[in-house]
Amino acid sequence: MKNTQVLLAARPDGEVKETDFKIASSVIDEDIAEGQLLVKISYISLDPALRGWMNAGTTYIKGVEIGTVMRAFSCGEVIASKHPDHQVGSFVSGLLGAQEYAVSDGTGLSKLDVSSGKLSWHLGILGMPGMTAYFGLLEKAKPQAGETVFISGAAGIVGSTVGQIAKIKGCTVIGTAGSQEKCDYLTGECGFDAAINYKEEDVADALKTHCPDGVHVFYDNVGGPILDTALGHLAKGARVVICGAISQYNKKKIYGPSNYMKIVTARGYITGIIVFDYIKDYPKAVADISGWLESGQMNTKEDTVKGIEQFPSALKMLFSGKNFGKLILEI
Ligand SMILES: NC(=O)c1ccc[n+]([C@@H]2O[C@H](COP(=O)([O-])OP(=O)(O)OC[C@H]3O[C@@H](n4cnc5c(N)ncnc54)[C@H](OP(=O)(O)O)[C@@H]3O)[C@@H](O)[C@H]2O)c1
């Protein structure tokens, strides 16, 4: 059976280029071994993390080797199985890669309940980004009702999920996004109290207006100057969660915060999150978020691009803000 795959062809020097990938074709052996399963992939997740995985070396995970299938979360249907835990016709997600079919021994796979919602949600709000939002906010920042939560990159899947959970927990929620349309989505469908278009507005001035008593929780997806500005507006006892720094991923030298002494006067803390540390607790988060989606307390938005050949151009959308919602590649 023909298997179209996206291979890493070169390590990017700065911004991701389409030539950093090669679309290749291989033949997948349907005669799988004992203990294996064969998955027909329906959706591939395009996440900012992929940019880091294209680099050489190891951070929290090893960089993808040149010439191999690009690492990516994907989900699909089990079409053959010699694995005791996975039946034909069931659905799974995991790091199955940017390809049409994947053979797996089951390691790291999640079995999906597709009785409600959309299958692709398991790559977004019910998948890795949703888990990042849930644990980064609730376990790392521990927001209290009445506190003010400020989120950068708020119209993305992580940011919009953080903000909606914070609203459910009784917080005042403010976020930044890169267009008026995204800001309207935040204050409309997502129920944020205010949204700041960081490309048009002065974020420091806007924070003075929207957060007169300071920021109790800053959930940072962007890094760079926005991190510095937020540090300048911390309330006493503030918690800063560094989730990501998408504004810096294509840069050779990362912009560091100069306002970091504000954490001292705030008697606060800065902490980081790696979502994989919470894998054993994912079922609780999936149950909570599913409940909020079903009750209408929460919603999610997807931006779907069709065709595996579009993988390189679609990945670039993340770094220019062209995506509006969780970016998904439909196979
Ligand atoms: N630590 C973890 O375990 C973990 C897990 C998952 C994700 N993350 C991180 O969480 C962050 C958000 O991920 P996501 O999946 O929700 O991505 P996403 O928001 O759907 O996509 C990226 C968005 O970031 C914004 N952006 C891009 N370049 C920017 C820049 N230079 N300055 C400001 N904003 C910029 C764009 O929106 P605008 O139009 O608003 O600019 C873009 O749409 C990323 O930093 C990611 O690496 C961390």
Side-chain angles (χ1 to χ4, degrees):
M1 196 159 51
K2 181 175 155 255
N3 187 20
T4 305
Q5 301 175 309
V6 181
L7 308 183
L8 181 64
R11 302 211 183 276
D13 180 22
E15 290 186 10
V16 175
K17 297 188 295 302
E18 294 185 30
T19 49
D20 294 333
F21 297 101
K22 183 180 168 203
I23 309 294
S25 198
S26 69
V27 174
I28 200 154
D29 188 356
E30 291 165 70
D31 188 17
I32 51 174
E34 211 51 52
Q36 290 186 328
L37 60 148
L38 175 60
V39 182
K40 183 178 192 306
I41 291 171
S42 307
Y43 299 102
I44 296 172
S45 184
L46 292 155
D47 293 293
L50 271 58
R51 174 63 187 84
W53 299 347
M54 293 170 79
N55 293 336
T58 301
T59 50
Y60 62 94
I61 196 167
K62 199 170 178 297
V64 176
E65 297 293 338
I66 299 286
T68 65
V69 176
M70 184 60 206
R71 183 187 297 133
F73 283 94
S74 29
C75 65
E77 184 177 357
V78 178
I79 57 167
S81 180
K82 290 184 182 171
H83 192 293
D85 298 339
H86 295 279
Q87 274 64 56
V88 170
S90 63
F91 290 84
V92 292
S93 68
L95 285 169
L96 293 166
Q99 54 185 338
E100 289 179 304
Y101 296 91
V103 173
S104 166
D105 63 4
T107 305
L109 289 189
S110 299
K111 294 204 245 181
L112 307 180
D113 175 1
V114 292
S115 56
S116 66
K118 289 168 69 181
L119 175 60
S120 53
W121 286 2
H122 292 277
L123 298 179
I125 195 157
L126 296 176
M128 182 278 288
M131 302 300 101
T132 306
Y134 184 97
F135 293 107
L137 181 70
L138 299 180
E139 295 295 325
K140 294 286 185 175
K142 301 189 188 302
Q144 305 297 310
E147 289 191 326
T148 297
V149 175
F150 174 50
I151 304 154
S152 64
I157 181 63
V158 173
S160 60
T161 308
V162 168
Q164 292 180 85
I165 297 173
K167 284 307 298 175
I168 289 166
K169 298 295 174 187
C171 299
T172 297
V173 177
I174 290 104
T176 60
S179 72
Q180 191 55 47
E181 196 188 6
K182 289 183 180 181
C183 287
D184 291 345
Y185 165 69
L186 292 176
T187 53
E189 280 139 281
C190 296
F192 280 42
D193 297 277
I196 304 164
N197 180 348
Y198 73 91
K199 289 184 180 166
E200 302 282 334
E201 295 176 61
D202 183 300
V203 178
D205 285 348
L207 281 179
K208 277 186 213 147
T209 305
H210 299 304
C211 317
D213 299 324
V215 168
H216 299 97
V217 171
F218 175 47
Y219 194 104
D220 191 20
N221 293 307
V222 165
I226 285 181
L227 167 58
D228 236 1
T229 304
L231 289 174
H233 286 267
L234 296 182
K236 201 167 171 188
R239 289 83 73 200
V240 176
V241 180
I242 306 293
C243 175
I246 193 165
S247 73
Q248 305 298 306
Y249 291 170
N250 288 323
K251 296 207 156 79
K252 287 188 180 132
K253 193 169 184 301
I254 285 189
Y255 173 100
S258 56
N259 253 342
Y260 72 93
M261 282 301 287
K262 295 284 182 185
I263 207 80
V264 177
T265 44
R267 289 88 160 162
Y269 63 76
I270 301 180
T271 186
I273 172 166
I274 290 292
V275 64
F276 303 128
D277 295 347
Y278 295 91
I279 283 176
K280 70 173 178 21
D281 298 321
Y282 282 8
K284 176 174 168 25
V286 170
D288 281 351
I289 295 174
S290 299
W292 292 325
L293 286 166
E294 273 166 35
S295 66
Q297 286 172 281
M298 205 177 224
N299 79 90
T300 191
K301 186 171 175 59
E302 292 183 337
D303 192 340
T304 306
V305 175
K306 290 191 179 158
I308 193 162
E309 299 78 11
Q310 303 305 317
F311 181 96
S313 58
L315 182 61
K316 287 172 64 178
M317 290 167 68
L318 291 174
F319 302 97
S320 61
K322 277 200 185 128
N323 67 305
F324 187 2
K326 171 70 193 109
L327 191 57
I328 298 279
L329 197 66
E330 185 178 335
I331 305 307

